[in-house]
Amino acid sequence: MTLSELSLHEAAYVDLIREGAHGPGLVSRLEAMGFLPNKSIRVVRRAAMNGPLEVRVGSTTNVAIRRVEADLVMVHKAAAPVELP
């Protein structure tokens, strides 16, 4: 499942980031912002008309990401609720 498919406020963990058309540069940039394997993540807000997503990575980092890039972030749902502020 991809990050863009995740329901609002649903807890998940990052599996991997696919390269896509932007190549390894986007993967490196997302990893630098905390999109790392087994890191907790959730969608905080969705902009209207297929706009960007605001996601919480870990417990302190909020990032706005376009849906095209969110489609490259593979995640799996948390088995039990993850406590995120």
Side-chain angles (χ1 to χ4, degrees):
M1 132 180 280
T2 66
L3 177 58
S4 60
E5 296 170 334
L6 201 59
S7 298
L8 198 60
H9 301 294
E10 186 173 21
Y13 292 98
V14 176
D15 285 329
L16 61 97
I17 304 169
R18 296 180 293 163
E19 278 192 16
H22 297 291
L26 177 65
V27 174
S28 297
R29 177 169 241 157
L30 291 174
E31 288 174 345
M33 289 189 283
F35 289 77
L36 299 169
N38 296 316
K39 189 79 163 192
S40 62
I41 193 167
R42 69 178 170 135
V43 176
V44 177
R45 192 176 321 179
R46 293 177 181 277
M49 301 178 67
N50 263 349
L53 306 174
E54 180 183 351
V55 297
R56 164 93 28 109
V57 183
S59 60
T60 59
T61 305
N62 280 27
V63 176
I65 184 172
R66 292 183 290 190
R67 289 184 196 241
V68 173
E69 282 85 21
D71 286 338
L72 301 175
V73 180
M74 305 303 296
V75 300
H76 65 275
K77 294 180 184 179
V82 175
E83 190 66 34
L84 296 173

